Amino acid sequence: MQRTILIDGDIVAYQHATQVETPVNWGDDLWTLHADAKEAKARLVNWIKWLKDITKGTSVEIFLSDSNNFRKTQVDSSYKSNRADKRKPVILSELLQWMREELGAKSVDNLEADDAIGIAATKKRKGECVMASIDKDFATIPGLHFNWNTDIGVFDVEPEDADYNFYLQCLTGDATDGYAGCPGIGPKRASKILEDAEDYWSAILAAYEKAGFGEDYALSQARLARILRSTDYNHKKKEVILWTPN
C-alpha cells in the first residue's frame, strides 16, 4: 500500500531554523546570531529521508499554516496573540519560502497546518497516511501518527480516543495557543469529569457553568481546540464548518 506522510511543516521549519543558530561574540559586549540557511536546508532534506524510512512512507506532503486563520476571524480574535512578541528564528522566513519552492510545501486558505493535515488524513482510508508532528493536539485526530520526539514509532489513535482527547482539550485549554479552557481545570480533573459523564458535552457545559461561564464561551473554547477533520470542512466552497455538538 502507498503511504503518504503528512508533515507539520510549521514545526519542522522552526526546529531546523533554530538548530543552525549560533551566537557570535564580536567583542566589546557585541553579540549577534549567525545562521547558515544552506546547512538548515541540507539537514531538512536528510531528515525527510529519515522520516520516510522510519515510517515506511512512499511520499510526503508538507503543510504550512496560512497567514489568515479562521479561529481569529470566526471564533476569537485573541487566538495565539500571546505569541505576537516571541522572537522567530533568523532564517525562518527564508526556510519556509524554500520549502514552498523546492519541497512543494503548501497552505490551505484560512487554515493552520494541523487543520489541513487533519482534513487530508480523515479523507483517506486508514493506513494510507501517517500524520507527522510533535504537537500533542494531534491526538484529537483519528488515524496513524508519528512523533519524532519520541521512540514509540508509528501509533494509531482510534476514533473514540480521538473524540475523548478533543473533549479533554475543551476543558483544559492550551496555554501555548493562548486559550484558557475552563478555569481551574487541569488534565486530572478534566479526566475525572469525563470519566463520570454519560454525555461528554453536557458534562463540559456543567463544568463551565459551575465556573461562571455560559454555553457560548464553552463552545468558543471547543472551536479553538478543534483540529479540523474532513467533516468540518466544505470542500466545494472551501469553507470551515465550525464544530457544533451533536
Side-chain angles (χ1 to χ4, degrees):
M1 177 187 289
Q2 298 291 305
R3 173 179 281 186
T4 303
I5 313 304
L6 308 176
I7 302 174
D8 186 342
D10 291 346
I11 292 175
V12 173
Y14 195 96
Q15 285 188 328
H16 282 77
T18 302
Q19 287 167 6
V20 299
E21 287 190 342
T22 305
V24 179
N25 183 358
W26 295 91
D28 197 26
D29 288 338
L30 176 62
W31 289 79
T32 60
L33 273 179
H34 167 83
D36 187 339
K38 187 176 293 185
E39 179 186 354
K41 293 169 186 177
R43 285 189 180 201
L44 182 48
V45 168
N46 288 330
W47 180 84
I48 290 174
K49 291 178 181 176
W50 168 82
L51 180 68
K52 288 176 67 177
D53 181 61
I54 200 168
T55 59
K56 296 180 171 57
T58 54
S59 63
V60 301
E61 291 183 25
I62 304 173
F63 291 91
L64 303 173
S65 292
D66 187 49
S67 56
N68 296 315
N69 188 322
F70 81 91
R71 290 179 179 82
K72 285 187 176 182
T73 58
Q74 295 179 246
V75 184
D76 185 347
S77 60
S78 68
Y79 177 69
K80 287 190 175 179
S81 60
N82 58 320
R83 299 187 186 184
D85 297 327
K86 187 175 181 180
R87 185 187 73 82
K88 294 179 174 61
V90 175
I91 63 165
L92 182 60
S93 295
E94 161 70 16
L95 194 57
L96 289 169
Q97 185 62 29
W98 174 81
M99 289 168 67
R100 292 181 189 276
E101 294 174 354
E102 300 298 327
L103 302 182
K106 56 190 176 183
S107 302
V108 179
D109 289 348
N110 298 312
L111 302 186
E112 296 182 70
D114 49 9
D115 296 306
I117 291 172
I119 292 168
T122 49
K123 279 180 67 178
K124 296 179 181 290
R125 290 183 301 167
K126 188 172 182 178
E128 289 184 339
C129 69
V130 175
M131 293 166 269
S133 179
I134 62 171
D135 189 342
K136 64 180 178 57
D137 296 351
F138 269 92
T140 65
I141 298 295
L144 299 181
H145 295 258
F146 179 75
N147 180 335
W148 59 86
N149 274 5
T150 71
D151 58 3
I152 61 176
V154 175
F155 60 96
D156 188 12
V157 176
E158 296 290 345
E160 57 271 22
D161 294 325
D163 288 342
Y164 174 85
N165 292 331
F166 162 64
Y167 285 114
L168 197 72
Q169 194 88 340
C170 293
L171 285 167
T172 61
D174 189 333
T176 302
D177 287 342
Y179 66 96
C182 189
I185 295 183
K188 288 186 178 179
R189 190 173 170 196
S191 295
K192 180 62 176 174
I193 289 171
L194 297 184
E195 178 185 316
D196 295 337
E198 292 185 9
D199 176 77
Y200 286 158
W201 185 244
S202 295
I204 288 169
L205 285 182
Y208 272 94
E209 288 170 3
K210 187 176 181 180
F213 294 89
E215 183 175 1
D216 287 346
Y217 181 74
L219 187 57
S220 73
Q221 297 301 289
R223 287 171 171 172
L224 293 176
R226 182 76 170 183
I227 294 182
L228 301 182
R229 306 179 189 182
S230 181
T231 51
D232 299 317
Y233 193 69
N234 185 319
H235 297 269
K236 186 175 181 179
K237 295 182 178 181
K238 300 186 183 304
E239 293 177 349
V240 173
I241 302 170
L242 292 177
W243 181 83
T244 304
N246 296 327

